[in-house]
C-alpha cells in the first residue's frame, strides 16, 4: 500500500476514534492538550494537560518514545494523545517524525503544529492555541494542521509551512527536517492566505496616499490552473471576490502580496506550499514527468487574474 495513502487512512481512522471512555479509562489516563518536543538527539518532552497554566510534567530519553514513557512516571497515568490539540517543535528534526507520532499515538488530523525557539513551560498553551486560531480565522495566517503538513512533506520540495511562535505573536517559517529554510515577510504571509485559498480575512486594510480604508469581504475563492508556453510552465492564479470597498486599491494590494509569496516560497526557497506540484501534475503531466522539479521551480511563471465584484 502507498505509505502516504496509508498515513491518510490512519488520519481518517484517528479522527473517527472519538468514542466514549468508561470511568475507569478516564481515571487511568492523562489527557494531553499540548506536547513540546526539544533536543532531537536526546529528546525531551513537556506535557500540558487541559486547563493547565504551565507544563505539568517533563520527560527525556534516548528516543521520543522513551521520553514519553519517562514522562508517564511522574504523571502516574497512561498518556493519551488522541485529543492532542497542539504540538510544539523546538527542533526541526522532529518534523521527520510526525508520521511516526501519528501512527503510534493516533493523533488527530486537525492537531495544530507550531515551531518555536523558546520553552513554553510557563505558557498557558490553551490560550496560545486560541490566539493561533484567531489569527487564522481573521485571515492573518494561512490555516495549517497535521494533515496539511504531512501532505507538504510528501511532495518533491519536502518543505512544510509552520506558524512560528514569538513573544509578540506569530510569524511563518518554511522548514525541512534538516533545518529552517527561511522566515517569511508579512506581505508574503498575506499572499499565502490568498494563494492557498483556505481562509480569507473578513476585512482588508488598504493603504492609501492620504488615508487608509477598509474593504469588507463577503465571499472569496481561489483557483490555480496551469498551461505550458514554449516549454515554460505558466500558472494562473484566479481570485474572485465579492465585497464592499475600493476594488482598484484592493486588486493592487493583493497582486503585490501574491507576488511576494511566490517570490519568497517558490523562487527564493524552492518550496511548494501552495499546491503547485499537484496542479502541474494534473494539468501539465508531460512537462511534469519530463522535467526535474528544481528546473520547474526555477522557470515557472505566475499570472494573476483578480476579479472583484462590489455593491
Amino acid at each position: 500500500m502507498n505509505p502516504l495513502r496509508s498515513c491518510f487512512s490512519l488520519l481518517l481512522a484517528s479522527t473517527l476514534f472519538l468514542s466514549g471512555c468508561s470511568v475507569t479509562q478516564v481515571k487511568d489516563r492523562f489527557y494531553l492538550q499540548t506536547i513540546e518536543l526539544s533536543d532531537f538527539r536526546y529528546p525531551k518532552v513537556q506535557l500540558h494537560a487541559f486547563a493547565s497554566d504551565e507544563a505539568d510534567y517533563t520527560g527525556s530519553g534516548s528516543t521520543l518514545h522513551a521520553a514519553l514513557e519517562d514522562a508517564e512516571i511522574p504523571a502516574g497515568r497512561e498518556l493519551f494523545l488522541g485529543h492532542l490539540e497542539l504540538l510544539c517543535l523546538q527542533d526541526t528534526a522532529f518534523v521527520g517524525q510526525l508520521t511516526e507520532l501519528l501512527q503510534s499515538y493516533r493523533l488527530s488530523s486537525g492537531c495544530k503544529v507550531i515551531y518555536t525557539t523558546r520553552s513554553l513551560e510557563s505558557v498557558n498553551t490553551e490560550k496560545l492555541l486560541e490566539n493561533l486560531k484567531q489569527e487564522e480565522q481573521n485571515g492573518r495566517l494561512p490555516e495549517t494542521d497535521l494533515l496539511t503538513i504531512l501532505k507538504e512533506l510528501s511532495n518533491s520540495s519536502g518543505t512544510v509551512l509552520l506558524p512560528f511562535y514569538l513573544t509578540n505573536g506569530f510569524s511563518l517559517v518554511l522548514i525541512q527536517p534538516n533545518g529552517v529554510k527561511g522566515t517569511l515577510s508579512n506581505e508574503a504571509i498575506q499572499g499565502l492566505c490568498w494563494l492557498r485559498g483556505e481562509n480569507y480575512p473578513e476585512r482588508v486594510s488598504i493603504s492609501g496616499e492620504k488615508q487608509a480604508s477598509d474593504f469588507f469581504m463577503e465571499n472569496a475563492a481561489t483557483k490555480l490552473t496551469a498551461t505550458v508556453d514554449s516549454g515554460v510552465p505558466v500558472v494562473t492564479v484566479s481570485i474572485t471576490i465579492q465585497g464592499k470597498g475600493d476594488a482598484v486599491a484592493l486588486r493592487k494590494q493583493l497582486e503585490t502580496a501574491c507576488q511576494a509569496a511566490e517570490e519568497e516560497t517558490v523562487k527564493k526557497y524552492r518550496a511548494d506550499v501552495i499546491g503547485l506540484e499537484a496542479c502541474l501534475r494534473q494539468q501539465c503531466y508531460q512537462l511534469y514527468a519530463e522535467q526535474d522539479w528544481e528546473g520547474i521551480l526555477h522557470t515557472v511563471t505566475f499570472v494573476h487574474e483578480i476579479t472583484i465584484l462590489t455593491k
Side-chain angles (χ1 to χ4, degrees):
M1 180 182 290
N2 183 295
L4 182 60
R5 182 176 298 175
S6 175
C7 181
F8 290 158
S9 297
L10 185 55
L11 272 170
L12 178 60
S14 64
T15 301
L16 298 175
F17 187 71
L18 297 176
S19 57
C21 298
S22 69
V23 174
T24 302
Q25 288 175 318
V26 171
K27 179 180 178 181
D28 293 342
R29 286 175 167 175
F30 186 71
Y31 289 80
L32 296 176
Q33 185 268 339
T34 295
I35 293 181
E36 299 178 58
L37 306 179
S38 60
D39 193 1
F40 183 77
R41 292 187 177 183
Y42 194 83
K44 178 181 178 182
V45 299
Q46 291 194 140
L47 312 180
H48 297 251
F50 288 88
S52 291
D53 289 327
E54 58 185 19
D56 295 276
Y57 303 105
T58 63
S60 59
S62 57
T63 66
L64 180 54
H65 294 290
L68 287 167
E69 288 177 359
D70 185 54
E72 278 187 333
I73 298 173
R77 287 170 287 172
E78 176 189 355
L79 302 183
F80 184 75
L81 284 67
H83 298 319
L84 192 73
E85 295 182 329
L86 183 62
L87 189 58
C88 304
L89 311 181
Q90 295 180 40
D91 190 325
T92 62
F94 286 113
V95 168
Q97 284 197 312
L98 290 178
T99 300
E100 183 182 348
L101 274 171
L102 167 72
Q103 294 172 341
S104 299
Y105 299 101
R106 294 181 177 272
L107 301 186
S108 166
S109 61
C111 179
K112 297 292 185 181
V113 184
I114 68 171
Y115 174 68
T116 182
T117 56
R118 57 186 287 250
S119 171
L120 305 181
E121 181 179 3
S122 301
V123 174
N124 183 318
T125 53
E126 281 192 281
K127 291 183 179 178
L128 186 156
L129 180 62
E130 289 175 5
N131 293 339
L132 173 61
K133 289 182 175 180
Q134 192 64 48
E135 290 287 277
E136 293 179 344
Q137 183 177 332
N138 292 337
R140 290 191 288 265
L141 287 177
E143 287 186 351
T144 60
D145 55 28
L146 181 58
L147 178 59
T148 304
I149 291 163
L150 290 176
K151 286 181 177 179
E152 291 169 352
L153 271 178
S154 70
N155 69 30
S156 297
S157 299
T159 304
V160 303
L161 184 71
L162 290 184
F164 181 20
Y165 178 60
L166 306 167
T167 54
N168 59 344
F170 292 93
S171 183
L172 278 183
V173 288
L174 294 168
I175 285 180
Q176 289 183 329
N178 61 355
V180 176
K181 296 192 72 173
T183 303
L184 300 180
S185 67
N186 289 333
E187 198 164 50
I189 291 172
Q190 294 306 304
L192 281 177
C193 288
W194 292 97
L195 292 175
R196 287 160 70 98
E198 295 166 349
N199 60 314
Y200 304 98
E202 294 181 358
R203 177 185 59 81
V204 178
S205 295
I206 302 171
S207 301
E209 294 182 3
K210 296 182 179 180
Q211 185 177 1
S213 62
D214 290 322
F215 189 99
F216 293 94
M217 213 77 57
E218 295 180 359
N219 292 292
T222 300
K223 181 180 179 181
L224 301 185
T225 55
T227 57
V228 179
D229 184 5
S230 301
V232 175
V234 179
V235 175
T236 299
V237 180
S238 301
I239 301 175
T240 303
I241 297 169
Q242 290 181 326
K244 300 177 182 179
D246 188 338
V248 174
L250 177 64
R251 182 179 294 106
K252 181 179 179 181
Q253 186 163 308
L254 292 189
E255 183 151 4
T256 300
C258 288
Q259 287 173 346
E262 294 152 3
E263 182 63 32
E264 292 183 30
T265 60
V266 177
K267 298 300 183 180
K268 183 177 180 179
Y269 295 117
R270 296 291 190 264
D272 173 22
V273 291
I274 60 173
L276 178 62
E277 184 173 15
C279 176
L280 291 171
R281 184 172 56 241
Q282 293 170 3
Q283 301 179 30
C284 305
Y285 183 76
Q286 184 174 352
L287 176 137
Y288 173 78
E290 293 176 353
Q291 291 193 19
D292 68 277
W293 184 240
E294 281 293 317
I296 291 176
L297 293 179
H298 180 72
T299 59
V300 64
T301 61
F302 293 89
V303 176
H304 304 107
E305 294 181 353
I306 302 175
T307 302
I308 304 175
L309 307 175
T310 58
K311 295 182 178 180

